[in-house]
Amino acid sequence: MVVTSQTTQAEPFEVAKTDGRPAVLTLDGPAPADPVAWAAGNRDAVRAAVAEHGALLVRGLDLRDAQSVGRVSRELVDQVMTEREGFATREVWADGVYSSSEWPADQPMCMHHELSYARQVPATLLFACLAAPESGGATGVADSHEVLEALPPSLVDRFEREGWLLDRNYTDTVGVGLAESFGDGTRAGVEAYCATRGIELTWQANGDLRSGQKAPAVLSHPVSGRRGWFNQIAFLNEWTLDPVIREYLKFEFGDNGLPFNTRYGSGAPLDEDTVTTINAVYDKHTLREPWREGDLMVVDNFRMAHSREAYEGTRRIAVVLGDPVTVPSPF
């Protein structure tokens, strides 16, 4: 089934929604001479399409560099965020423009909502393809409300009552550093940051840091009010890691020393079946479209989870986090 919608702004365009794919806007003819001017003239139409579909892939904008992505993003979002508390290292390519998270190319990044464990969450994400991989590497999306409805009610009920916990270990050898995560690498700076966000800290004798933070697993969309499965419970859990990587990390750092892991809000560990169930539901609801160079995807981070599939070749995706929303903890 194909659903199309016609919107008239600076230029008429048609958004196509096909089963199994995100909404796609294909710009006919040559690419706009000035993609920033195009974004400014079509801001309302783009944002309306994202509100309708949850995500919009714009094809034919011909974005080629991080600086252009940054300028376009400032026309499409109200505020560009500086990332804090990221789970994996990124490179800074331009002001407010990051690389995608560093992650092995042969390992998928499972579905998640960006920074869903944090108190300040981006409402809008922009992904721009500067180099498309030879194969794989799609950024899939999945509707959080549909995922919530498809999960076993007993699983949802427990997480809705308890929330979920994210444990992190910061070391000099693996993961994100303190300064990158908190904006300040000093002990006083880290403690001040975490004190205002409900993050519990334990300093180890060797200077390493262990943190824990609790977040809701189900959240109402800040605009529509629609409830969705909004978290990173499965993605950041040990059972989603490749078994070889999981066993290596446990051998090196111990059972409680993984760079990150998730638990029930009560502190109880998650079993493999629970994590597998969540990921299986995500798989059934994934919408995907292979990247082409110059593509731009705009995603409602509250409505749509996103993933990154394994790939071969060179893949360069520029990322912008925008429109921060403060999520109060209900716990």
Side-chain angles (χ1 to χ4, degrees):
M1 179 182 69
V2 177
V3 180
T4 62
S5 57
Q6 189 86 11
T7 306
T8 302
Q9 285 289 322
E11 303 173 14
F13 62 66
E14 186 176 84
V15 174
K17 180 67 179 71
T18 308
D19 288 346
R21 302 171 64 201
V24 179
L25 163 63
T26 301
L27 305 183
D28 296 326
D34 185 349
V36 179
W38 182 93
N42 291 279
R43 169 193 165 95
D44 290 345
V46 169
R47 292 183 69 98
V50 173
E52 179 180 354
H53 300 290
L56 177 68
L57 179 71
V58 182
R59 175 154 287 163
L61 200 52
D62 198 28
L63 293 172
R64 294 295 180 179
D65 57 76
Q67 290 73 24
S68 296
V69 174
R71 291 193 293 271
V72 165
S73 72
R74 282 165 173 78
E75 299 297 338
L76 295 178
V77 304
D78 293 326
Q79 180 181 348
V80 173
M81 286 178 61
T82 298
E83 184 181 48
R84 293 287 179 256
E85 303 179 53
F87 63 84
T89 299
R90 300 183 191 270
E91 295 179 10
V92 178
W93 284 351
D95 184 21
V97 183
Y98 299 93
S99 68
S100 54
S101 300
E102 292 185 6
W103 202 260
D106 63 344
Q107 299 295 318
M109 297 174 66
C110 298
M111 281 288 177
H112 61 284
H113 294 267
E114 201 70 27
L115 294 176
S116 55
Y117 44 82
R119 294 282 76 82
Q120 191 172 69
V121 178
T124 309
L125 305 175
L126 279 74
F127 301 96
C129 181
L130 305 184
E134 295 175 11
S135 63
T139 298
V141 292
D143 189 290
S144 64
H145 178 74
E146 294 177 2
V147 169
L148 177 67
E149 293 295 303
L151 286 168
S154 59
L155 183 153
V156 172
D157 288 346
R158 180 168 182 180
F159 277 111
E160 193 157 19
R161 289 195 313 270
E162 298 183 10
W164 62 291
L165 288 169
L166 173 64
D167 296 326
R168 300 185 65 170
N169 287 285
Y170 296 86
T171 73
D172 292 333
T173 55
V174 66
V176 180
L178 296 180
E180 183 179 352
S181 188
F182 302 113
D184 187 331
T186 67
R187 181 173 293 206
V190 170
E191 290 176 350
Y193 179 100
C194 294
T196 63
R197 292 163 175 83
I199 302 174
E200 297 183 356
L201 303 178
T202 303
W203 294 99
Q204 308 297 320
N206 63 357
D208 291 346
L209 176 65
R210 180 173 174 82
S211 71
Q213 57 201 108
K214 193 172 185 178
V218 178
L219 205 65
S220 296
H221 192 284
V223 176
S224 71
R226 195 175 74 153
R227 283 166 26 96
W229 182 251
F230 182 81
N231 56 71
Q232 287 167 246
I233 291 168
F235 176 40
L236 297 181
N237 188 265
E238 62 177 293
W239 294 115
T240 297
L241 291 172
D242 179 274
V244 174
I245 295 174
R246 181 175 65 247
E247 293 309 313
Y248 168 76
L249 290 172
K250 285 194 169 187
F251 176 80
E252 287 291 320
F253 302 107
D255 289 346
N256 295 320
L258 295 175
F260 43 76
N261 204 359
T262 60
R263 294 179 284 150
Y264 289 106
S266 65
L270 296 176
D271 59 83
E272 186 175 6
D273 286 346
T274 297
V275 176
T276 299
T277 296
I278 295 170
N279 283 329
V281 171
Y282 273 135
D283 287 344
K284 290 181 180 179
H285 289 82
T286 296
L287 308 175
R288 56 175 57 83
E289 173 69 14
W291 283 114
R292 297 182 190 173
E293 290 187 12
D295 283 352
L296 174 70
M297 179 182 279
V298 185
V299 178
D300 179 337
N301 184 44
F302 282 96
R303 179 171 168 184
M304 307 296 278
H306 67 278
S307 62
R308 191 223 69 191
E309 298 178 356
Y311 66 93
E312 295 181 348
T314 299
R315 180 184 187 273
R316 286 175 55 83
I317 304 296
V319 181
V320 176
L321 287 64
D323 300 332
V325 172
T326 299
V327 180
S329 174
F331 301 104

